[in-house]
Amino acid sequence: MAENGEEKLLAVARHIAKTLGQNDTMADDILQIFSNFDGRFSREKLSEKMVDDNNPRGCAALERALHALDRQISQYVALDHPIWAQTADSSAFLDAIDGLIRTIRDWSPMAADKSVGACLVRADDLMQQAMFRVEDEFRSLMDRGAESFELSRSNHESTGNLSFDSDEDNEENEEGLLNNGADLDHQIPVAQPVTDYDIVIDALPSGTINDLHEIAKRMVVAGFGKECSHVYSTCRREFLEESISRLGLQKLSIDEVQKMPWQELEDEIERWSKAANVALRILFPSERRLCDRVFFGFSSDADLSFMEVCRGSTIQLLNFADAIAIGSRSPERLFKVLDVFETLRDLMPEFDSVFSDQYCLVLRNEAITIWKRLGEAIRGIFMELENLIRRDPAKTAVPGGGLHPITRYVMNYLRAACRSRQTLEQVFDESNVVVPSNKLDDRRASSSSMSVQIAWIMELLESNLEMKSKIYRDSALCSVFMMNNGRYIVQKVKDSELESLLGDDWIRKHTAKVRQYCTNYQRSSWNKILGTLKLDNSSLASNAIAKSMKEKIKSFNSQFEDVCKTQSSWVVFDQQLREELRISVSRLLLPAYRNFMGRLQCIPEVMRNADRLIRYSVEDIEARINELLEGGRK
């Protein structure tokens, strides 16, 4: 009933306009009066019946509206200076565009009418002209606004215009922040070092952002959202890419990164890490905020624009990390690969928060993929370290049974790696690395993946050293070699994070091995000499005893001299261990020698030739022992 009543009311209004309107203009004016008087008398409803009745007056009204709008819009489209230079001009232009949008919207339901359809085609052409001009104005505002940008902290405290010094002397600074460039013809904001990331960039003045929003709103409503997004992203992408370039990061392909000399690549990794932190923690969030303000109310257009702005720079950063991930597995690369891995890991929350929309999902997923690939690279480097140990040949013996270079290299390498223990534990825990169970203690089943990995490398090193020890023909020197390397290994473990990874049981076990090597050395070198000092049964005849004692002292002199001469070039690098060995040998040999000399002095036949037979006093023996195992040093 209400609808019938409204239709009757509209019919009455149309009849009045048709009856009293002596011409089209008068009828149109009457319709306008009704429309202003009551919202139910909209122009669309009042004109609908007249058009349906083939009344040309409605179409004439549309033509007059388009003519007026054409006159207004065309005068601004033809201006040879920026429309937004004057607030009055920009407001009038936007009002005219709003009028055109309303006209197209109101008359579009009647587009099937031939006359109305022709008018709407003209309206679309006029809208396209207007959009071309506002697109230019949009671009101009973006360019002009970038020249007057300012930096502000999140509490809106201005930091003023800053300058970036890219000199290598400043490379120790941890991070950078964008500021003005030095090119007067084309200034683009770039970076200077900062100590924290609690900062955002207001890359455009607030007034400019409001103007851009008003333009973007009209373009999106008019169906030109993609064009607006393209202009916006082109301008902001240039800003972003130039800013990252000013941070010192080169645009390199994956192939170029892999061909770069390692020393240069190390420096590039440092620059990459700084640039990635600035981009993800400052630049991208600032661009996200700017997009949301310019395209406020149009989230899809904001998301698309943001993705287009940041995609190139993000891909540049991720491609570099990917090049590192798929590069050489050489062990010396571990620490820089760890730097890249840790940088991406620490930035994952930023990737999640900044790239949270549907358009950026592919970028976030790519970051996660490359981060995991870096973890695989780290595990691959440890596998290469294992292969390096296995392949290290047992060809040349280390002089004097000293410390082997492979021992020093592996232990210092593992100590340095353990400074990134938390990261390595994360890397190994995320893997399914299987270590041969027959090579490790069953108690390690409950250990962390990294503990198992380190223990396995230690097993490989020990096996390699045992193979190398077989090069020595002298069993005593073989024991010295294993003693030296075993002692060094235990010391390095106890003096680092390796101690907590391998555990007290491991240290006790390998300390006992070192003691066993010491015992083996002592037996191999001195037990035979000690046997020459063993006294015979006193029941023998005196002349037989004298003869036996002469032979024993001669044998002792010869063997002791040979041992001292041979071991003068041997070395025990650890001073404490060397002193312990000397004390142990002295305690073994000196009492026996002292007792032997006491017995010798009771035999007159021997003492008549004492100067010729007795070469060493007890003190001489002790002095010679204290000169041993120093590698020929006096």
Side-chain angles (χ1 to χ4, degrees):
M1 293 295 293
E3 292 180 358
N4 291 336
E6 182 176 335
E7 181 60 32
K8 290 180 180 179
L9 185 62
L10 291 173
V12 171
R14 295 190 195 102
H15 178 72
I16 293 172
K18 184 176 181 180
T19 302
L20 297 180
Q22 298 179 3
N23 53 47
D24 289 343
T25 302
M26 290 179 66
D28 193 51
D29 290 341
I30 292 171
L31 290 175
Q32 183 65 46
I33 291 171
F34 282 133
S35 177
N36 292 337
F37 175 74
D38 192 317
R40 290 174 294 177
F41 301 132
S42 69
R43 291 294 300 276
E44 179 182 349
K45 291 181 179 179
L46 290 171
S47 302
E48 183 178 4
K49 184 65 178 177
M50 299 174 73
V51 173
D52 290 341
D53 293 339
N54 296 319
N55 191 326
R57 292 178 178 178
C59 187
L62 174 57
E63 288 181 349
R64 284 192 298 276
L66 287 179
H67 179 73
L69 290 170
D70 191 354
R71 186 172 60 252
Q72 296 176 47
I73 290 174
S74 295
Q75 68 174 336
Y76 291 110
V77 170
L79 288 178
D80 59 357
H81 61 79
I83 299 174
W84 262 256
Q86 297 293 330
T87 304
D89 288 344
S90 61
S91 297
F93 189 36
L94 289 178
D95 288 343
I97 292 175
D98 289 339
L100 183 57
I101 291 173
R102 285 195 302 271
T103 299
I104 294 175
R105 181 190 63 217
D106 292 344
W107 288 90
S108 289
M110 293 164 277
D113 181 86
K114 185 175 181 180
S115 299
V116 174
C119 289
L120 289 176
V121 170
R122 286 173 50 203
D124 288 339
D125 291 340
L126 183 59
M127 179 64 76
Q128 193 162 28
Q129 294 178 41
M131 290 298 104
F132 284 157
R133 182 57 195 252
V134 293
E135 182 178 316
D136 289 339
E137 294 292 326
F138 191 94
R139 183 183 294 104
S140 178
L141 284 171
M142 294 282 291
D143 291 340
R144 292 202 309 272
E147 296 175 0
S148 58
F149 90 109
E150 67 176 6
L151 297 176
S152 64
R153 290 194 176 272
S154 56
N155 61 2
H156 305 296
E157 176 185 356
S158 176
T159 59
N161 291 335
L162 305 175
S163 61
F164 174 63
D165 185 358
S166 61
D167 191 290
E168 292 183 359
D169 293 339
N170 289 331
E171 287 184 358
E172 293 182 0
N173 291 298
E174 287 297 322
E175 318 296 347
L177 173 68
L178 291 193
N179 79 3
N180 281 329
D183 187 348
L184 299 179
D185 295 329
H186 189 61
Q187 291 187 351
I188 296 179
V190 289
Q192 92 162 21
V194 292
T195 57
D196 64 70
Y197 295 103
D198 183 22
I199 194 167
V200 292
I201 297 175
D202 287 328
L204 298 174
S206 180
T208 301
I209 294 175
N210 292 335
D211 290 338
L212 291 171
H213 169 65
E214 293 300 323
I215 295 176
K217 181 166 62 175
R218 271 72 177 189
M219 293 186 72
V220 173
V221 171
F224 287 78
K226 288 186 177 180
E227 289 78 358
C228 184
S229 176
H230 176 72
V231 174
Y232 176 89
S233 59
T234 300
C235 294
R236 295 309 303 167
R237 184 165 55 242
E238 181 183 359
F239 166 88
L240 191 58
E241 291 177 355
E242 182 67 16
S243 297
I244 291 178
S245 175
R246 294 294 178 88
L247 288 167
L249 191 65
Q250 305 178 57
K251 273 193 173 182
L252 299 170
S253 68
I254 291 178
D255 188 54
E256 288 172 329
V257 172
Q258 293 183 332
K259 290 181 179 179
M260 185 177 292
W262 178 241
Q263 188 172 2
E264 293 180 19
L265 188 55
E266 285 183 309
D267 296 336
E268 194 67 21
I269 288 173
E270 290 186 14
R271 288 190 287 269
W272 173 88
S273 181
K274 295 175 184 179
N277 274 283
V278 171
L280 268 297
R281 294 179 174 176
I282 299 177
L283 294 177
F284 293 169
S286 298
E287 290 299 328
R288 176 78 259 186
R289 189 177 77 156
L290 182 60
C291 271
D292 290 342
R293 293 179 66 185
V294 171
F295 293 95
F296 179 75
F298 307 98
S299 59
S300 180
D301 295 277
D303 294 343
L304 176 61
S305 299
F306 175 71
M307 187 274 291
E308 290 294 341
V309 169
C310 297
R311 180 175 56 183
S313 297
T314 304
I315 291 175
Q316 179 187 354
L317 292 169
L318 293 179
N319 278 350
F320 182 89
D322 198 25
I324 301 300
I326 64 178
S328 170
R329 296 290 193 266
S330 180
E332 66 267 15
R333 291 180 174 240
L334 171 67
F335 305 101
K336 285 302 178 181
V337 176
L338 278 170
D339 287 345
V340 178
F341 177 90
E342 290 171 346
T343 297
L344 268 188
R345 177 198 64 194
D346 296 343
L347 289 175
M348 277 303 148
E350 279 68 29
F351 274 102
D352 289 338
S353 63
V354 175
F355 297 135
S356 58
D357 60 83
Q358 57 176 334
Y359 295 106
C360 291
L361 181 63
V362 64
L363 296 177
R364 185 170 75 251
N365 290 343
E366 182 66 9
I368 294 172
T369 299
I370 292 174
W371 175 45
K372 291 182 177 179
R373 197 172 292 152
L374 284 163
E376 294 172 2
I378 292 170
R379 293 189 289 271
I381 288 174
F382 272 86
M383 291 180 64
E384 186 58 32
L385 177 64
E386 295 174 16
N387 293 332
L388 183 150
I389 295 171
R390 289 191 188 96
R391 294 193 301 260
D392 193 62
K395 293 182 178 179
T396 306
V398 177
L403 187 63
H404 198 280
I406 190 68
T407 306
R408 191 188 304 274
Y409 175 82
V410 171
M411 294 311 300
N412 287 329
Y413 187 92
L414 293 179
R415 276 172 50 113
C418 284
R419 296 182 189 131
S420 300
R421 175 178 176 177
Q422 182 179 0
T423 299
L424 289 174
E425 286 181 337
Q426 179 183 9
V427 168
F428 287 116
D429 286 343
E430 291 177 353
S431 70
N432 295 316
V433 176
V434 178
V435 175
S437 58
N438 62 322
K439 289 293 184 180
L440 296 177
D441 198 303
D442 291 338
R443 290 170 294 178
R444 298 204 178 279
S446 60
S447 301
S448 70
S449 298
M450 183 180 177
S451 297
V452 173
Q453 178 67 47
I454 296 298
W456 171 235
I457 291 176
M458 301 299 287
E459 292 282 354
L460 290 176
L461 176 60
E462 188 174 357
S463 297
N464 183 272
L465 291 172
E466 288 175 354
M467 179 179 63
K468 288 177 167 59
S469 70
K470 296 177 182 179
I471 300 175
Y472 298 101
R473 296 180 180 180
D474 192 318
S475 60
L477 184 55
C478 173
S479 297
V480 169
F481 174 77
M482 293 301 297
M483 181 198 318
N484 273 318
N485 288 272
R487 177 77 166 205
Y488 184 84
I489 290 171
V490 171
Q491 285 181 334
K492 290 296 182 181
V493 169
K494 292 172 67 175
D495 192 31
S496 67
E497 283 285 327
L498 291 169
E499 181 177 18
S500 59
L501 281 170
L502 295 172
D504 294 336
D505 288 343
W506 189 96
I507 293 176
R508 281 193 292 269
K509 176 182 176 181
H510 285 77
T511 300
K513 282 187 176 183
V514 173
R515 286 197 298 268
Q516 185 60 49
Y517 293 136
C518 293
T519 301
N520 293 345
Y521 156 77
Q522 190 169 291
R523 288 174 179 170
S524 299
S525 293
W526 302 101
N527 278 8
K528 186 177 180 180
I529 295 177
L530 194 63
T532 63
L533 300 177
K534 184 177 180 180
L535 297 176
D536 294 327
N537 193 322
S538 57
S539 62
L540 294 175
S542 59
N543 60 340
I545 292 175
K547 182 178 180 182
S548 175
M549 294 295 283
K550 288 180 182 180
E551 291 176 353
K552 287 178 179 294
I553 191 63
K554 289 179 181 180
S555 178
F556 173 83
N557 291 337
S558 175
Q559 292 184 37
F560 183 74
E561 186 64 33
D562 288 344
V563 168
C564 290
K565 182 178 180 181
T566 299
Q567 297 190 14
S568 64
S569 61
W570 295 6
V571 61
V572 173
F573 78 92
D574 183 75
Q575 182 178 358
Q576 180 181 350
L577 181 59
R578 185 168 62 246
E579 290 301 320
E580 290 174 357
L581 282 173
R582 288 170 176 174
I583 291 171
S584 179
V585 171
S586 295
R587 287 176 178 174
L588 178 71
L589 189 60
L590 293 183
Y593 188 72
R594 188 178 290 110
N595 188 37
F596 182 84
M597 292 300 294
R599 180 71 180 276
L600 200 64
Q601 290 172 359
C602 297
I603 303 175
E605 295 179 23
V606 174
M607 294 309 295
R608 282 196 292 268
N609 299 308
D611 292 342
R612 184 170 57 86
L613 293 176
I614 302 174
R615 297 183 185 177
Y616 304 103
S617 65
V618 174
E619 292 73 16
D620 292 336
I621 296 294
E622 184 175 17
R624 291 296 297 273
I625 291 174
N626 288 335
E627 293 175 354
L628 298 178
L629 307 176
E630 290 195 1
R633 292 177 299 172
K634 295 294 184 179

